[in-house]
Amino acid sequence: MIAAASDAIWDNRAACGRMYSVTCTGATNLGVPQPCKGGSVVVKIVDYCPPPGCQATIDLSQEAFSQIADPNAGKINIQYTQV
């Protein structure tokens, strides 16, 4: 499971290779009101997600996203911790 990091945690490339446990905490839009599936997923940071395209802290791969949320949600609120 992989992800990209935004400026918030990128730390001048230091985040590359770090592992984070990510949990869905809720919806960010009206498309899917209850997107969370429960549980969490551990992802490895393998890329940088630059602004303005990246408007998230962690951009999850489709595979990682679908483990914790409905893929149709597109965007979710998360809680994350480095592991």
Side-chain angles (χ1 to χ4, degrees):
M1 300 291 180
I2 59 172
S6 72
D7 284 333
I9 61 171
W10 182 241
D11 195 18
N12 200 30
R13 293 189 181 260
C16 207
R18 287 183 188 155
M19 306 289 284
Y20 286 89
S21 176
V22 181
T23 305
C24 176
T25 60
T28 60
N29 58 35
L30 301 175
V32 179
Q34 303 278 329
C36 301
K37 292 182 176 180
S40 61
V41 64
V42 174
V43 294
K44 181 177 186 176
I45 301 296
V46 297
D47 202 0
Y48 174 58
C49 185
C54 191
Q55 298 175 6
T57 308
I58 297 176
D59 186 16
L60 299 171
S61 66
Q62 281 188 311
E63 185 181 13
F65 189 98
S66 67
Q67 290 290 311
I68 61 169
D70 181 340
N72 293 318
K75 204 174 184 186
I76 55 171
N77 288 317
I78 61 167
Q79 190 171 44
Y80 61 93
T81 53
Q82 189 175 343
V83 293

